[in-house]
Amino acid sequence: METRVLLLTFQEVDARYGLGRAELHQFVELGLLRPAPAPETIEVEEPDELLPRLARLHHGLGLAPEAIDLVLLMRQRLLGLQAALARETARARQLENFLHGTGPLLSE
């Protein structure tokens, strides 16, 4: 799957997602967003996922940028754990099928 990286100006982000210059500077300082070479510009992978999430967490829930950093880290950890659980569940199902004689045991 190809990842899209876009360059967006602070003005574009403010107009599309309601995140102002001061907020964007804070997000860049915390490492939540990557600055682009041009001033007042950021590089964003999958902006239609990250930027609305930042706006919801900041404006909708009233979280401080530092708290948003923690929430995003916890979300990444949760997604990783969910993926690991899905893999292990599939492996257990394969083993059960093999032991019951209803299917082959497939490797990862």
Side-chain angles (χ1 to χ4, degrees), residues 71-83:
V71 168
L72 293 178
L73 287 172
M74 290 175 19
R75 181 180 182 278
Q76 284 304 113
R77 178 76 173 140
L78 177 63
L79 292 174
L81 290 170
Q82 286 175 331

Side-chain angles (χ1 to χ4, degrees), residues 55-73:
R56 278 192 312 273
L57 290 170
H58 187 61
H59 295 298
L61 296 178
L63 296 179
E66 297 81 10
I68 292 172
D69 185 28
L70 180 61
V71 168
L72 293 178
L73 287 172

Side-chain angles (χ1 to χ4, degrees), residues 4-5 9 12 19-20 32 47 50 52 57 81 86 93 96 102 104:
R4 299 180 314 153
V5 177
T9 65
E12 290 173 317
L19 295 168
L32 298 175
L50 177 60
L57 290 170
L81 290 170
R93 192 173 307 117
E96 287 174 356
T102 59

Side-chain angles (χ1 to χ4, degrees), residues 2-3 19 29-30 33 35 39 43 47 54 58 60 67 75 86 88-89 91 93 102:
E2 191 174 314
T3 302
L19 295 168
E29 287 175 18
L30 287 170
L33 296 173
E43 292 179 345
L54 287 175
H58 187 61
R75 181 180 182 278
E88 293 304 317
T89 301
R91 290 181 70 207
R93 192 173 307 117
T102 59

